[in-house]
Amino acid sequence: MMRKLFTAAAMATLMLLIGNMLAAHPHPDPAVRLFDLGQQAVVAEAQGIQRLKSARIVLVGEHHNNAAHHEAQLLVIKNLHEAGLKVAVGLEMFRKDSQADLDGWVDGKISERQFKPLYLDNWNYDWALYRPIFDYARENRIPMVGLNVSRKITAQVAYHGFESLDAEQRGSLEGITCNVTPEYRAFIGKAHGVHGHGEMNFERFCEAQLVWDTAMAFNAVAYLKENPDTVMVILAGSGHARKLGIPTQLEKRVPWPYAVVLPETEGIFDAQSITVGDADYILMNK
């Protein structure tokens, strides 16, 4: 009887110790598995995060309402953070003028109840899709950076053209011009079916997209120049994240290495559907 009691007590103690060990050393997140579009080959699993660590900016594209894409974005953020890099998350979803709200969230000074209306003022997709990313940033004090411009400005450009902006509106677009090249026009034409912004003059729509891409690149560069030890993961719609979007505008401003990653999505983001002209890697599903 005493032996049985001792055995049960010893087992309970052992289970408690195991539980404490697991809490202190949680199961690591899955590794980043990449398909290299340039080499047309799967990257060895151990090398996936090393490839991304070599970039100053990692752009992870999304379809805004696809939960799997946001899970992929969070996986990249987690792996870079847990690899010891100082990470910031750049957001298409927030305007630059909402930076104080993002800072309040990350610093824990704003409750979720208070923050959700601020989120919805910036973005009209379900908060639940993005919440795990925002929670992880808050828990780990990872800066979140608003990269976008006012929707009023992009809407005005889309319907009335860049030339319709007055001096005050252009003052908020420091360093931003709007020269739509034939290459960019063709790129937007291809991506337009994915983005779906309704009926409008196509040339003006291209101008609006270019203002959007340029502003996000400009704001990302400005933040990283002030934080030279930081790597930024930019979360943006795939039409902005692809190389002819934000990355082209980055190249015009800084010589920093970047990587474009698109989450594997059959028939949309796979080796048969996109090329190295669109992205560097496909983030593979498990």
Side-chain angles (χ1 to χ4, degrees):
M1 183 67 175
M2 288 297 292
R3 185 175 181 181
K4 289 182 179 179
L5 287 172
F6 176 78
T7 301
M11 182 61 71
T13 300
L14 179 61
M15 294 303 292
L16 179 61
L17 288 171
I18 292 173
N20 289 338
M21 290 174 64
L22 289 174
H25 303 284
H27 184 72
D29 285 296
V32 170
R33 297 180 64 240
L34 301 175
F35 180 86
D36 187 316
L37 286 161
Q39 298 180 356
Q40 287 291 295
V42 176
V43 177
E45 190 163 301
Q47 292 299 312
I49 197 61
Q50 296 301 320
R51 293 283 189 94
L52 299 186
K53 282 176 65 176
S54 66
R56 184 79 196 279
I57 299 174
V58 179
L59 301 98
V60 190
E62 65 176 63
H63 286 177
H64 303 314
N65 60 357
N66 190 319
H69 290 184
H70 302 305
E71 292 170 6
Q73 291 170 330
L74 180 55
L75 180 65
V76 170
I77 294 167
K78 283 184 174 181
N79 272 266
L80 288 172
H81 174 69
E82 292 169 11
L85 273 65
K86 187 173 181 181
V87 177
V89 179
L91 299 166
E92 175 194 354
M93 303 83 206
F94 267 74
R95 303 182 302 271
K96 181 182 178 182
D97 62 17
S98 292
Q99 188 58 50
D101 299 330
L102 287 170
D103 293 343
W105 170 260
V106 171
D107 292 340
K109 296 177 180 178
I110 300 176
S111 68
E112 182 176 355
R113 180 182 61 80
Q114 294 169 318
F115 184 73
K116 190 173 178 181
L118 303 173
Y119 165 85
L120 293 173
D121 180 61
N122 280 269
W123 201 238
N124 57 3
Y125 287 87
D126 189 352
W127 162 245
L129 292 166
Y130 293 86
R131 181 181 177 183
I133 296 172
F134 279 76
D135 282 347
Y136 184 79
R138 183 182 177 101
E139 291 162 5
N140 294 276
R141 294 294 189 267
I142 295 174
M144 305 190 87
V145 184
L147 300 180
N148 220 327
V149 294
S150 165
R151 281 182 290 185
K152 291 182 180 179
I153 287 180
T154 52
Q156 180 170 329
V157 173
Y159 286 99
H160 303 289
F162 187 76
E163 293 300 319
S164 72
L165 298 178
D166 60 30
E168 182 179 355
Q169 289 171 316
R170 292 191 185 211
S172 67
L173 301 175
E174 180 185 356
I176 295 173
T177 57
C178 194
N179 178 28
V180 177
T181 65
E183 183 182 33
Y184 187 79
R185 190 178 296 109
F187 163 65
I188 293 300
K190 181 179 178 181
H192 181 50
V194 174
H195 229 69
H197 280 269
E199 295 298 325
M200 61 185 68
N201 178 281
F202 180 64
E203 186 70 14
R204 290 172 179 171
F205 176 73
C206 290
E207 289 186 356
Q209 294 300 298
L210 183 57
V211 168
W212 212 328
D213 289 337
T214 306
M216 288 191 281
F218 184 88
N219 290 330
V221 168
Y223 179 87
L224 290 173
K225 284 183 175 179
E226 292 180 359
N227 298 273
D229 57 344
T230 297
V231 169
M232 179 175 282
V233 179
I234 295 180
L235 311 184
S238 63
H240 298 296
R242 294 190 198 203
K243 289 185 177 180
L244 284 174
I246 297 171
T248 293
Q249 301 305 319
L250 291 172
E251 289 175 352
K252 293 178 179 180
R253 288 162 173 79
V254 287
W256 301 336
Y258 66 82
V260 177
V261 182
L262 297 177
E264 184 176 27
T265 311
E266 186 176 356
I268 301 174
F269 303 145
D270 56 32
Q272 291 72 47
S273 306
I274 59 174
T275 71
V276 71
D278 299 304
D280 297 297
Y281 302 106
I282 295 171
L283 180 61
M284 300 174 65
N285 297 325
K286 297 297 177 183

